[in-house]
Amino acid sequence: MAKRPSKARSSADDKYIDSLDAPKSFGEYWGQVKSGVQTEQFRVICGILLALFTLYLGIAFVSFFFTGAEDFSILEMSRAERAANRLEIQNWMGLPGAALIFLLVHKGFGLASLALIALLAVYANRLFHVGRIRVWRFTCCAVFWLLYGAVVLGYIDYLIGEPLFFRLGGAFGAVVTLWAISYVKAIGLLFILLALGLIFFICVDETFVPKMHKLWQWLKGLFKKSEPGIPESTDNPEAQNTPTDDADTSAPIELVVTGKTEEDKSDEGSTLTVEIVGQEPDDYVEDQPAEDEPEPTDDDITEIEPVPEAAEESIGDDHTNLEIQKGKKVDIVEDSPEALLKKYGEYDPRKELEFYQFPSLDLLKVYPNETSPVIDQQEQQNNADRIVNALRNFGVEIDSIKATVGPTVTLYEVKPKAGVRVSKIESLESDIMLSLAAKGIRIISPMPGKGTVGIEVPNEKPQVVSMHSVIASRNFQEEKKMRLPIAIGRTITNDVFMFDLAKTPHLLVAGATGQGKSVAINAIITSLLYKKHPAELKMVLVDPKMVEFAPYKPLLKHYLAAMPDVDENQVVITDCDKVINTLNSLVIEMENRYKLLMDAGVRNLEDYNDKFVHRRLNPEKVVEGTLHHQYLPYIVIIIDEYGDFIMQAGKQVETPIARITQKARAVGMHMILATQRPSVNIVTGVIKANIPTRIALRTQSVVDSRTVLDAKGADQLIGRGDMLYAGNGEITRIQCAFVDTPEVDAIVEHVQGQQHYFEPYQLPEYIPEGTDAEALAPGSVDMKRLDPMFADVARYVVNKQEGSTSRLQRAFEIGYNRAGKLSDQLEAAGIVGPNKGSKGRDVLIQDPNQLEAKLQELGVG
């Protein structure tokens, strides 16, 4: 009996050693190749090679028009003959360049091959993550012009009859043209090409139909002006007074303007009569101004709509000259949510950083046997025997015992016989620990819903739970319902333990020094970085020890939120005064978000963002004076060792923390507090009341355990990430996933190399009461910190004479937050007027030279 476990253990060891020497399968090799292809270095190398090839092809294409005639005879030779005469090639890129262009242009698609070169340039640009061109849209357009352009040029070749030294449409265009003409003749092919071109423009340009409508109206206007009897210009008074004999005066409804002649001006007063021919006399409209009324100015001239065609009444010489001005065109704005959603689609918060790539799993370290615990059957059997013997020595008989092996702890479920009191088993905790010679055990009496008593015993050889095994698990990768999913470790049953921070809604992490608080917080941050896009999550990091959160400083323009004018080296807050200001700034942010939710008529951040995504909120609308509707990211505030700040500032820190933990859940702001002093003066009743979810690592005493969890047990943990999670009325034992410093550095380095915002997420300005510090008034703009795109946006606004925020958002493909800040900066600079809601902003500068002078004055010219 005793040899069997030893034999099984030896067999398992032999299998593990054999697995190391065994040849790798194709899947393993393919996984390594795939990981290498997905690296940043491989992408940049491919981008450089593709860009150089595109440049080479482009130069050869240009040279073909100057040297192709001389090279034509050589290029039509066989491959061996071309190689022999390669020195005679005149193309700037030599024989390979001349051969490639000859193949593309003459034997391929003609001049339309330029679309293929442009497509290669776009793909090279995409590999460098430069620009915002929609690759799939551009690819479809390029393929269309490659084929359509070749046929159009082939049709031109057919009409010319005497082509150049090469085919304009290439061999493809010539073949398709001749085939189509054989069926529908030349005129039929012309109609087909025109129809295809119109369909293409209608599909890719939503303004094409309105432009064609305007062109038709303009052509109709030219035709009208050429008709006899119609004045050529409504701006010429003399033309309006010219009599026309051909005018039809029998129209049923017609406007005729009459007035006093020069001889009648001596009469007292004057009368302006508008006659409607064909109506009863009662329909006459008579306007009799007062004697003292001043003469009408140009602004007072009544605007009268033009007379219908062929209904103009001839005007005699004795009529008053009346200048008729055409009224301004009224723009109809479809601002209903349904129209906007149909026109622009749903708002995509990730659009501004559409090239951002999440960290890959190969940045995390892989440990041996990380997916399943190593079971030592001999150890488990010995521990079970010792537990049974210890209980029997004190008169406690059991019916059965079952072991569940976890990464660091084994759970023994004991089913006592009838009549045994559970409290008696609890009182034997120290005796069982003595018999097992264990560091610490934890008794769960009874196990919820099982009718057993649980005894958790540490394993002799605890197993490391890697962050890779947690992040790569199916549960975490396929999780879609959680708003802020956090995979923190594995339970005793080796299941990945996850919770939603958005529903927690705040978290308290407590434990003695060196028991794994920092590793737990790193696991939380890593989970968020692997799951949430920078547009969806912002973090505020507070670290009095100055070294715990230092590796996350490079995430400033991706994931971090900060006060205005923050120094990049101080984005992780370490000073107590700055902590107070930041916490109060977060309180202001919370209140601002509640104002936006109240105006939107929703109760939480999820409903608000859903309403904004479906374009049911107007970003141009001003709320409470300075606020605008926008997509709101989650904000996670992480304070490491907040007990130090409580000891220094007391109520100044505790009060804003209490306000945030009381109210901020609904607006997407969640707080994580960590402390190594879980005493009652640090973990106060206010904190405990507002933070129901807590994580306890090993504490120094049972009193500290009760302070954190309201239950004992944390003092019996074994340390090194062994923790108790208290939430939803249950306490779960978890082995925290281990995240090493090199893994954190690799993840941060990857994120730092991705597309980022130009500035961090700005929190509201907070100035302490009683200080003389100067601050910007609400809604004011600091002109010393202009957006890098300010000059380009200003020139666009002046050239287009359009200053709406939504227009900037579409034109520059930026998020609404940034577009709104640019609009405020343009207003502060005097380039555009104030916000007028859906009507857009007035552009105050019309002259580009005046704008350049303004930009020079601001120092951005």
Side-chain angles (χ1 to χ4, degrees), residues 101 144 195 236 278 325 367 370 391 434 466 472 493 512 514 598 601 628 630 645 655 718 721 735 780 787 836:
I101 297 302
F144 173 82
N236 187 357
Q325 296 182 349
Y367 291 82
E370 65 175 16
L391 293 174
L434 178 62
S466 68
T493 58
M598 181 178 63
H628 295 270
Q630 57 184 300
F645 298 120
T655 299
I718 63 174
Q735 177 59 44
S780 299
D787 191 283
K836 298 170 63 178

Side-chain angles (χ1 to χ4, degrees), residues 772-785:
D772 296 331
E774 295 183 357
L776 294 174
S780 299
V781 177
D782 185 3
M783 299 303 293
K784 296 180 181 179
R785 301 178 67 249

Side-chain angles (χ1 to χ4, degrees), residues 272 287 293-304 322-325:
L272 179 63
D287 183 8
E293 185 174 352
E295 295 182 1
T297 62
D298 293 338
D299 296 334
D300 297 328
I301 296 175
T302 305
E303 298 179 5
I304 302 178
L322 177 65
E323 181 179 358
I324 302 176
Q325 296 182 349

Side-chain angles (χ1 to χ4, degrees), residues 267-332:
D267 296 344
E268 189 174 355
S270 61
T271 303
L272 179 63
T273 305
V274 180
E275 299 179 8
I276 304 180
V277 180
Q279 300 295 323
E280 296 295 330
D282 293 340
D283 291 334
Y284 288 133
V285 179
E286 185 172 353
D287 183 8
Q288 182 69 33
E291 295 183 2
D292 297 335
E293 185 174 352
E295 295 182 1
T297 62
D298 293 338
D299 296 334
D300 297 328
I301 296 175
T302 305
E303 298 179 5
I304 302 178
E305 295 184 1
V307 180
E309 185 178 359
E312 184 78 18
E313 177 71 22
S314 60
I315 302 176
D317 295 334
D318 56 347
H319 292 302
T320 302
N321 293 336
L322 177 65
E323 181 179 358
I324 302 176
Q325 296 182 349
K326 185 179 180 180
K328 293 183 179 179
K329 181 181 178 181
V330 179
D331 294 329
I332 299 177

Side-chain angles (χ1 to χ4, degrees), residues 610-673:
D610 182 73
K611 209 169 184 178
F612 188 86
V613 165
H614 289 85
R615 303 194 183 272
R616 296 170 60 191
L617 296 176
N618 183 10
E620 300 284 353
K621 182 180 180 181
V622 180
V623 180
E624 295 290 337
T626 59
L627 303 176
H628 295 270
H629 287 296
Q630 57 184 300
Y631 187 88
L632 298 177
Y634 288 94
I635 298 180
V636 177
I637 307 108
I638 305 177
I639 304 179
D640 188 19
E641 197 45 61
Y642 85 102
D644 285 351
F645 298 120
I646 295 292
M647 298 295 291
Q648 294 181 52
K651 292 294 183 181
Q652 288 182 293
V653 171
E654 185 178 358
T655 299
I657 288 178
R659 291 196 63 189
I660 292 172
T661 54
Q662 283 175 348
K663 296 176 54 179
R665 176 193 64 83
V667 294
M669 299 172 62
H670 307 277
M671 181 168 286
I672 300 175
L673 301 178

Side-chain angles (χ1 to χ4, degrees), residues 336-378:
S336 65
E338 293 76 11
L340 293 175
L341 189 63
K342 182 178 180 181
K343 185 175 183 180
Y344 302 113
E346 293 184 355
Y347 174 78
D348 184 8
R350 299 186 179 187
K351 177 64 178 179
E352 190 169 356
L353 299 186
E354 61 179 335
F355 299 117
Y356 177 85
Q357 295 182 354
F358 285 90
S360 59
L361 294 175
D362 58 1
L363 300 177
L364 299 173
K365 185 177 180 180
V366 179
Y367 291 82
N369 300 320
E370 65 175 16
T371 58
S372 60
V374 178
I375 300 176
D376 189 337
Q377 295 183 2
Q378 182 65 44

